[in-house]
Amino acid sequence: MTETSNTNGELYGVMAEFDDVTTLCNAADKVRDAGYTKWDCHTPFPVHGLDDLMGIRFTKLPWVVLIMGLTGCSLAVLMQWWMNAVDYPYDISGKPQWSLPANIPVIFEMTVLFSAFTAFFGMWIANGLPLWYSPLFRNKRFARVTDDKFFVSIEATDSLFDSAKAHDFLSSLGASNTEDVYHSNETAALPGSLKGKMIVLACLATIPLAMVYNSYGKTTTEPRVHLVPDMDKQDKFRAQGQTTLFADGRMSRAQIEGTIAQGDLEDYSNNVVNAAFVARGEERFNIYCSVCHGFNGQGDGTVHRRATELADAGHAAWVPPADLTLEMYADKSDEELFSTITHGIRTMPAYGGQIPEKDRWAIIVYLRALQLAQKGEPVDMTGMTSEQRGEVMFASKSCSTCHTVDGARLIGPPLNGLIGQEITLDDDSTLVIDDDYILKSIANPMAQARKGYPKAMLEVALTDEELTDLLNYIKSQN
Amino acid sequence: MANSTSIDHVDIFPEALVQGTHDFHSVTETVCGIIEAPKPPKAWYIIFGTALALLGVLGAMIVYLVTTGVGVWGNNQPVAWGWPIVNFVFWVGIGHAGTLISAVLFLFRQDWRTGINRFSEAMTIFAVVCAGMFPAIHVGRVWFIWWVFPLPNQMAMWPNFRSPLLWDVFAVSTYFSVSLLFWYMGLVPDLASVRDRAVTKAKRFWYGLFSLGWTGSNRQWHRYERAYLLLAALATPLVLSVHSVVSFDFATSQLAGWHTTIFPPYFVAGAIFSGFAMVLTLSIPARKIFGLEELITLRHIDNMTKVIMATGMMVGYAYAMEFFMAWYSGNMYEGFTFINRAFGPYAWAYWIMVSCNVLSPQIFWFKKIRRNLTVVFIMSLFVNVGMWFERFVITVTSLNRDFLPSSWHYFTPTWVDICTLIGSFGLFFTLFMLFCRFLPQVAISEVKNVLPQAHPHHDAH
């Protein structure tokens, strides 16, 4: 770093060398008392107490660090809230999308990260470093500042500066050597050869970028480069494939005699439609179907809403899921719906592998209920008699899904000619139907269920007035 | 006793932190001399050559892994977290001593840290490099590892900030960044020392570049010291947080043997334990090879063995408490896991862990042993081995017998697992040997500061 004590430039100031800490500290005290402002001490290690002797004002760095630490803290909160609760809401087991405790580790780390970077870079910026040039470096003696010598420098720009006076003053304070320090005459420009090399390097650095830009958005007929072939082609056994592993050469294995596959213990022979079956269908529908088709089947599930947002913002193309309550889907046969669930259709993937057969049927039953529940026209009931209101209720509360009033049997018993009818209940007791039985059976359908019908009726929440209307309607069909 | 005065002296005053008759210049000479020597000692060539060869092994293993897939490792159900996570926790644990020594001991005004802080900070950074490598290659498709950071991607997705694995990303990368800043900041004045003594143009350029134009100005020292204190204060909770977060990877899962609240403090104690052991493993040979006996003294070694003994007893307490809680909770799965841990198929690993970590440090009760370098060095190796096995025991024994007995499986590593672990030592020692050769191994300016002549005597006033 050091050449000789050059005298070829403008005067920078006077530099005094001291041999030990005590002399330096006394000198620093005196230089400050003399009223100099543009001066400094240079030491191989931080000398304790020197700050006070020099009158250095306490750095504001801790406040800057505090502010940036709080910035990091708030940014972490905002970032996590926006990313996980707003822009890409994570739905995990229905837990709240924004819950602070789980976000604390990242908040802490970001606070520390911001504070530490501020402390580090703030310190160098405040110190005016990096600055690889100092006139002091041009003095050979100054090289020992990082070894075992102590220096005081007074700059020529100080208003009290006078070279001869400064020399005498510093010598009187015990300096072992004092001398003038000069700026360099040389220009600070980079050497020409280095410049040329840097230009060449900069040009070369643009080549990869140019190549990326050139291939951006282009198509090619060349086959893909398989950098990692195992990811594309794997040795594995496929269903219906051949193998040398088993004696019969077949990959698919027959069920081992005397064993039952998981889930097969359940008895499928009694696949009746009852309340539990519909409830099962609802549960499965809500798990597998509602994400796209929505909880009411109208095709507005969360995936659809999110994808539509992205599509609107130009990020993706999106084929909307079907509104299953439309007439065209209500008209489709159960078998066709079963096939669609099993094999998928258009962008809908196949669910045959995920949903057991029985559950697929349960979903279809539930879907039928959804379709029925949303069919219907608004009816003006003003001026109607109680029986007429009951008739509207009979249609709109889904009674007619299972019951008729013409003697035909659907899922439940026909409702014409009920009063006075003698029926057998599930427990083989007999009973004559009266008003009371009808009201009780609507309020609590399965309490006294009729023998020979599936236990499928759901509770229907009705007001007393509605109950009376419905009862009157049923009685009118006697 | 005739010589009672000198005994009193030893008892009352701690030994000098720098032995021999050192002044400022001789400290510079000792530390910079290592870098300026035209050729490093023979031992350096041997260790560096070996490390470089092992680094080559690591490179080959990574290429094989990436081009083939993680199936080349022994990881498989039910032990899906095999050696990669064991090695990750092992290395990141070792990385804890550095910042503990440089930050926590700094805040507690433990001046003896000055001899060993540079050393252990370097060790920290290289250990965290080794640690960070394992999760990165563990993901299988390493070219997607950037998905762990909250950066915009073509899926328009953000990471899940409630996942402990993501916390790990933030904790380890913050720890690495802050440790690096802390280390580099400490290096700057010392790099300036090397710069000012450099004789070749190349050395003047490179050491000059990285010493940022440091002039030792006291106005700069003032802010420098303040920033150093701030970094120490920030790094202290960070040290405690990093291994706590690593322990969350385990503790927040619903697995018997992992799902315990004792994990964060237990992991932190274990990390400090293993980190100090690694500092000893490195510093005992280094001080001999590079002639640093007077700067890294027996007092330093003695203090470190005491830390090892204390933290060793803490992990011992944690082991015992885990068993107590397994019984006290009355949870049959918890109980089974711990009986399986100590007496099951991996009992051998469990008892290696207990004997290395709990029993062996007990010999440090004796001062004679604390100052016997051969014994201390061997003990430090024992602790390193024991702490690797601790992570192995936690990870593998909790997984290998899961809830469905039909899927119980005895985990064995493949040759790739073993070579990758050995290779990671190659990476660590390559970096460490380069550090020993090209950077000041001891914080020159800090050691000068603890010399008696560094403090002005104010009788002149």
Side-chain angles (χ1 to χ4, degrees):
Chain A
M1 280 291 124
T2 51
E3 291 111 280
T4 50
S5 290
N6 276 305
T7 53
N8 57 357
E10 203 184 320
L11 183 67
Y12 167 76
V14 172
M15 179 188 91
E17 183 181 315
F18 294 85
D19 292 336
D20 65 88
V21 180
T22 312
T23 328
L24 174 84
C25 285
N26 291 337
D29 197 17
K30 299 276 158 41
V31 174
R32 179 198 178 192
D33 288 349
Y36 287 107
T37 52
K38 291 187 173 170
W39 67 286
D40 209 339
C41 297
H42 302 268
T43 56
F45 52 86
V47 175
H48 289 280
L50 195 55
D51 294 351
D52 288 339
L53 293 172
M54 283 177 69
I56 295 175
R57 291 230 317 262
F58 197 87
T59 173
K60 291 190 181 68
L61 191 62
W63 292 105
V64 183
V65 171
L66 174 69
I67 291 164
M68 287 307 288
L70 292 174
T71 309
C73 175
S74 335
L75 267 180
V77 176
L78 274 175
M79 175 181 78
Q80 296 183 74
W81 167 75
W82 184 74
M83 287 179 181
N84 273 186
V86 179
D87 192 51
Y88 192 87
Y90 268 89
D91 215 337
I92 300 167
S93 317
K95 287 172 193 161
Q97 285 168 343
W98 175 241
S99 53
L100 201 57
N103 296 301
I104 285 175
V106 172
I107 294 173
F108 172 79
E109 302 299 340
M110 291 264 287
T111 309
V112 170
L113 192 68
F114 271 61
S115 311
F117 271 74
T118 310
F120 181 82
F121 290 105
M123 182 271 289
W124 293 121
I125 291 167
N127 277 344
L129 296 179
L131 180 70
W132 286 279
Y133 167 77
S134 166
L136 295 166
F137 287 146
R138 308 181 70 235
N139 187 294
K140 243 184 184 166
R141 287 177 177 279
F142 193 71
R144 290 183 74 176
V145 73
T146 54
D147 184 5
D148 58 349
K149 293 292 181 190
F150 305 85
F151 293 85
V152 170
S153 65
I154 301 176
E155 288 178 36
T157 49
D158 194 297
S159 55
L160 298 178
F161 184 78
D162 177 284
S163 179
K165 267 192 193 164
H167 277 287
D168 292 345
F169 179 51
L170 290 167
S171 299
S172 73
L173 296 176
S176 56
N177 174 280
T178 64
E179 60 184 281
D180 287 334
V181 179
Y182 293 91
H183 277 290
S184 170
N185 267 343
E186 293 161 32
T187 57
L190 284 170
S193 63
L194 199 60
K195 242 187 220 168
K197 279 177 197 162
M198 282 168 82
I199 290 170
V200 171
L201 268 180
C203 291
L204 288 176
T206 59
I207 292 177
L209 288 176
M211 285 167 71
V212 169
Y213 183 76
N214 189 41
S215 54
Y216 184 76
K218 297 255 172 73
T219 53
T220 174
T221 53
E222 295 290 307
R224 244 188 83 195
V225 180
H226 292 269
L227 278 179
V228 185
D230 276 38
M231 290 279 175
D232 302 304
K233 303 185 183 79
Q234 294 182 345
D235 292 333
K236 64 180 175 191
F237 298 121
R238 290 173 190 277
Q240 316 302 335
Q242 285 188 350
T243 179
T244 51
L245 195 63
F246 299 112
D248 60 1
R250 290 164 27 153
M251 194 50 239
S252 302
R253 307 312 304 157
Q255 191 165 357
I256 298 166
E257 220 172 297
T259 62
I260 296 172
Q262 279 189 20
D264 277 7
L265 259 183
E266 208 176 334
D267 184 5
Y268 281 107
S269 61
N270 187 23
N271 199 359
V272 289
V273 175
N274 55 22
F277 194 63
V278 179
R280 173 76 182 169
E282 178 180 9
E283 190 205 8
R284 296 290 109 180
F285 181 91
N286 288 348
I287 290 172
Y288 290 108
C289 317
S290 69
V291 285
C292 288
H293 290 291
F295 287 108
N296 54 14
Q298 286 173 338
D300 59 348
T302 45
V303 168
H304 169 63
R305 274 179 279 153
R306 168 73 182 159
T308 310
E309 269 174 43
L310 290 178
D312 289 348
H315 291 311
W318 178 244
V319 180
D323 175 356
L324 298 172
T325 61
L326 293 177
E327 200 71 37
M328 58 177 290
Y329 296 106
D331 288 348
K332 286 199 190 298
S333 68
D334 291 347
E335 289 76 10
E336 192 175 349
L337 292 176
F338 185 86
S339 166
T340 304
I341 297 174
T342 310
H343 304 297
I345 191 166
R346 289 186 297 276
T347 50
M348 172 174 161
Y351 281 85
Q354 288 147 289
I355 312 179
E357 196 179 323
K358 191 177 177 187
D359 284 344
R360 276 175 260 160
W361 289 116
I363 287 171
I364 292 167
V365 170
Y366 177 68
L367 177 61
R368 292 303 187 203
L370 278 181
Q371 288 168 337
L372 278 173
Q374 285 164 59
K375 220 156 74 178
E377 299 290 321
V379 178
D380 181 9
M381 298 215 285
T382 47
M384 283 190 178
T385 64
S386 173
E387 280 156 31
Q388 283 169 328
R389 288 201 299 272
E391 187 177 359
V392 172
M393 213 87 67
F394 182 76
S396 66
K397 297 289 182 185
S398 299
C399 309
S400 58
T401 310
C402 302
H403 302 281
T404 65
V405 288
D406 59 4
R409 176 179 167 154
L410 290 178
I411 293 166
L415 299 185
N416 49 332
L418 275 184
I419 300 288
Q421 202 179 344
E422 187 174 323
I423 54 165
T424 314
L425 297 183
D426 253 3
D427 57 2
D428 288 328
S429 58
T430 55
L431 177 144
V432 177
I433 293 179
D434 53 8
D435 287 10
D436 191 43
Y437 174 76
I438 293 175
L439 288 176
K440 266 201 244 165
S441 295
I442 296 171
N444 191 2
M446 290 300 111
Q448 287 177 295
R450 250 168 104 165
K451 194 171 182 160
Y453 290 95
K455 291 187 162 189
M457 185 166 161
L458 304 167
E459 280 174 37
V460 189
L462 296 176
T463 62
D464 286 349
E465 197 195 348
E466 287 172 331
L467 269 175
T468 319
D469 291 346
L470 197 55
L471 179 65
N472 285 337
Y473 172 70
I474 291 171
K475 278 160 78 178
S476 73
Q477 300 295 319
N478 232 19
Chain B
M1 266 187 1
N3 206 7
S4 64
T5 47
S6 73
I7 289 167
D8 285 344
H9 178 80
V10 170
D11 286 347
I12 294 167
F13 301 105
E15 295 160 65
L17 288 166
V18 177
Q19 299 280 304
T21 50
H22 273 290
D23 56 16
F24 299 138
H25 179 66
S26 69
V27 171
T28 319
E29 198 66 46
T30 311
V31 181
C32 293
I34 299 168
I35 304 168
E36 288 157 0
K39 274 185 180 175
K42 228 181 217 150
W44 185 88
Y45 282 109
I46 297 168
I47 302 172
F48 185 65
T50 317
L52 217 52
L54 292 180
L55 179 62
V57 172
L58 177 70
M61 288 307 109
I62 292 177
V63 170
Y64 179 49
L65 169 85
V66 171
T67 54
T68 313
V70 283
V72 300
W73 284 336
N75 305 12
N76 209 335
Q77 292 297 351
V79 186
W81 275 17
W83 275 30
I85 195 84
V86 175
N87 298 340
F88 162 70
V89 183
F90 170 72
W91 278 118
V92 88
I94 283 177
H96 275 64
T99 311
L100 187 98
I101 290 170
S102 41
V104 180
L105 298 187
F106 180 76
L107 293 184
F108 285 120
R109 302 266 184 270
Q110 295 295 306
D111 283 341
W112 61 274
R113 67 182 269 285
T114 53
I116 50 168
N117 70 339
R118 171 69 42 72
F119 223 85
S120 39
E121 282 170 40
M123 180 202 77
T124 286
I125 289 160
F126 306 145
V128 178
V129 167
C130 292
M133 180 190 76
F134 280 101
I137 58 176
H138 189 199
V139 298
R141 303 186 184 197
V142 287
W143 49 96
F144 289 132
I145 186 66
W146 62 279
W147 283 353
V148 302
F149 295 106
L151 297 167
N153 55 47
Q154 77 276 25
M155 303 173 293
M157 280 176 85
W158 297 111
N160 178 10
F161 284 97
R162 278 163 292 175
S163 158
L165 298 176
L166 180 115
W167 304 343
D168 235 9
V169 172
F170 273 77
V172 174
S173 52
T174 302
Y175 186 60
F176 179 74
S177 320
V178 174
S179 302
L180 192 65
L181 294 185
F182 205 41
W183 183 59
Y184 177 59
M185 199 174 136
L187 266 172
V188 168
D190 294 353
L191 290 176
S193 289
V194 185
R195 169 198 69 194
D196 290 344
R197 293 162 52 95
V199 282
T200 67
K201 214 172 173 183
K203 275 190 174 173
R204 263 211 305 266
F205 176 78
W206 288 110
Y207 288 107
L209 185 69
F210 286 104
S211 57
L212 306 177
W214 182 257
T215 61
S217 146
N218 196 54
R219 295 178 198 278
Q220 292 177 351
W221 274 122
H222 168 71
R223 296 190 194 94
Y224 178 94
E225 283 205 287
R226 201 39 55 175
Y228 199 85
L229 181 66
L230 284 169
L231 279 183
L234 290 164
T236 299
L238 188 63
V239 177
L240 302 182
S241 85
V242 176
H243 228 55
S244 298
V245 168
V246 170
S247 80
F248 290 159
D249 291 348
F250 298 91
T252 55
S253 69
Q254 304 278 337
L255 187 76
W258 289 359
H259 190 62
T260 58
T261 47
I262 200 176
F263 261 31
Y266 159 30
F267 268 51
V268 171
I272 296 164
F273 182 57
S274 66
F276 269 87
M278 191 54 109
V279 175
L280 282 175
T281 309
L282 296 174
S283 59
I284 290 173
R287 68 196 279 279
K288 180 125 189 84
I289 294 170
F290 297 108
L292 292 168
E293 280 107 331
E294 287 174 341
L295 300 182
I296 303 173
T297 64
L298 283 177
R299 180 175 160 201
H300 291 105
I301 310 273
D302 192 330
N303 282 351
M304 285 194 275
T305 54
K306 283 176 187 165
V307 174
I308 285 184
M309 194 166 67
T311 47
M313 285 190 281
M314 286 180 209
V315 293
Y317 171 79
Y319 298 159
M321 197 44 66
E322 277 188 319
F323 270 83
F324 172 74
M325 287 313 297
W327 165 75
Y328 187 65
S329 67
N331 181 317
M332 61 183 280
Y333 302 106
E334 212 47 55
F336 171 80
T337 301
F338 281 92
I339 287 175
N340 181 48
R341 193 171 273 187
F343 305 106
Y346 290 101
W348 57 275
Y350 183 81
W351 293 107
I352 288 178
M353 169 188 97
V354 170
S355 34
C356 287
N357 293 351
V358 185
L359 303 180
S360 71
Q362 295 306 315
I363 65 166
F364 289 142
W365 285 105
F366 306 102
K367 187 168 183 175
K368 254 211 174 113
I369 287 182
R370 290 203 301 270
R371 288 178 179 242
N372 183 328
L373 292 177
T374 320
V375 177
V376 172
F377 181 70
I378 293 169
M379 290 311 299
S380 76
L381 294 179
F382 272 136
V383 173
N384 285 326
V385 170
M387 284 309 290
W388 188 88
F389 270 99
E390 180 195 297
R391 281 62 176 255
F392 176 83
V393 164
I394 291 172
T395 308
V396 175
T397 65
S398 308
L399 287 169
N400 86 101
R401 289 193 164 173
D402 68 355
F403 297 103
L404 198 61
S406 64
S407 50
W408 286 5
H409 172 67
Y410 188 83
F411 168 87
T412 33
T414 63
W415 63 275
V416 184
D417 274 312
I418 296 165
C419 290
T420 310
L421 173 62
I422 296 172
S424 69
F425 279 92
L427 173 62
F428 179 75
F429 279 101
T430 304
L431 292 170
F432 199 79
M433 285 296 119
L434 289 174
F435 158 75
C436 286
R437 178 67 185 132
F438 295 108
L439 294 172
Q441 290 177 34
V442 174
I444 304 171
S445 65
E446 290 191 34
V447 169
K448 285 177 188 166
N449 217 342
V450 297
L451 288 176
Q453 57 266 51
H455 301 283
H457 21 97
H458 290 289
D459 44 30
H461 268 283

